[in-house]
Amino acid sequence: MNTAADSIVKDMSLAHGGHLKIDWVKAHMPVLNRIRERFEAEKPFAGLKVAISLHLEAKTAYLAKVVQAGGAEVTITGSNPLSTQDDVCAALVEDGIRVFAKYNPSPEEYKSHLIKTLETRPDLIIDDGGDLVTILHSERRDLLAQVRGGAEETTTGILRLKALEKEGKLEFPMMAVNDAYCKYLFDNRYGTGQSVWDGINRTTNLVVAGKTVVVTGYGWCGKGVAMRAKGLGAKVIVTEIDAIKAVEAYMDGFEVMPMSEAAKHGDYFVTVTGNRDVIRKEHFEVMKDGAILSNAGHFDVEVNKVELEALSTAKRVVRKDIEEYTLAGGRKLYLLAEGRLVNLAAGDGHPAEIMDMTFALQAVGLEYINKNYQSIGKQVLNMPYELDEMVARYKLEALGISIDKLTAKQKDYLDSWVES
């Protein structure tokens, strides 16, 4: 396969910088390195084609190389127009991986890259947000036949998959990697919590301490964002639609109120819901002058950009990844990274040590699907606990941490309903 001839990337001369980035994350991903060693020996994907759509930066690139080490012919594209790193794309092409991606493509180019990735007729897919699956189940059903199944990275993607499954339209099994313990407990909470504030802080260069942060959505990602905002010295308000999560946020020490009220108080807003229009016209109308809006959900629909622009008398870029909207009366609101994922579009995403576990789950989850796709059926599958636990065990071993084991008597006690 001549990947250089087949690929679409911005500039192959950037490859050296991409290799350095990939080498750096590789040195901090011991769990994935351990799985790579096994894949190199066993070749679980020998003779197969794998298509990947993920935020295309160094950690994702290393996952692609691990899958390649397992014998696969790998093609990769981005899952967000602003999170692709062109130097990483060039490095992957030099390493024999076909790439269809570049930073900030037009909507038409972005869609064409997804389709070109699928036109390689993959046996297996790794998806982020469900774009590959959606195209396969709608406009390119002619490419469905060869797909054995795949793995999905995000809450948004799993929602789309479960909607397909509920309607009886899902055509192959998909592993819900996002719902694995070693994904949401660490990636969603600690990864999102840190990377969101990395992105906001490097983009704005403003202080967080003493400010009011409004976190919209108190799932695992929202918990991480709120926790880190508190650690930076902010006052935190949580908005929710789920009564149980709202009580949890309250007992975690945060104020809880509707967005209609929170909008009046926030200096920073971070949306993490996976839904659309959670910040909209009536909220913009009561916000403080200088409020900063950002999104950490998958798609750029959580902050309603159309309504924000309609309310504005002027719009300009005042700093990289910051758009200033001037409203009637002179108030100014600032939108980061065009309302796209602030931690990736305006940052480098989650720390490598966190993605080590997530991408290890992707690799072994894909292997599991490939081994069992004929018996699984067309469903959204939870990560088998033994794989989840294995990744955690590998992580502990890499950290040099030991834990206790049950004795034979303890096992018997737990397995018995009679006290002895």
Side-chain angles (χ1 to χ4, degrees), residues 212-217 236-242 246 249 254-266 269 277-280 282-284 286-287:
T212 296
V213 172
V214 177
V215 178
T216 303
V236 179
I237 297 171
V238 171
T239 72
E240 250 300 341
I241 59 165
D242 184 302
F254 304 121
E255 288 191 77
V256 179
M257 62 184 72
M259 177 57 77
S260 57
E261 182 64 24
K264 302 172 187 177
H265 303 288
F269 293 81
D277 306 331
V278 294
I279 300 181
R280 52 190 183 269
E282 62 262 37
H283 307 137
F284 302 136
V286 298
M287 285 181 177

Side-chain angles (χ1 to χ4, degrees), residues 54 63 126-127 151-153 177 358-366:
L54 289 169
L63 170 63
I126 295 177
D127 211 355
E152 168 58 48
E153 174 84 358
V177 171
T358 295
F359 284 162
L361 289 170
Q362 285 282 14
V364 297
L366 197 69

Side-chain angles (χ1 to χ4, degrees), residues 32-74:
L32 204 52
N33 287 334
R34 185 164 173 175
I35 290 167
R36 179 177 182 163
E37 289 176 5
R38 180 170 64 79
F39 278 9
E40 287 174 333
E42 298 177 5
K43 300 294 182 186
F45 305 122
L48 300 179
K49 296 179 181 179
V50 175
I52 300 174
S53 173
L54 289 169
H55 297 286
L56 218 173
E57 43 77 51
K59 299 175 289 290
T60 300
Y62 189 54
L63 170 63
K65 293 183 68 171
V66 170
V67 174
Q68 181 191 42
E73 178 185 314
V74 178

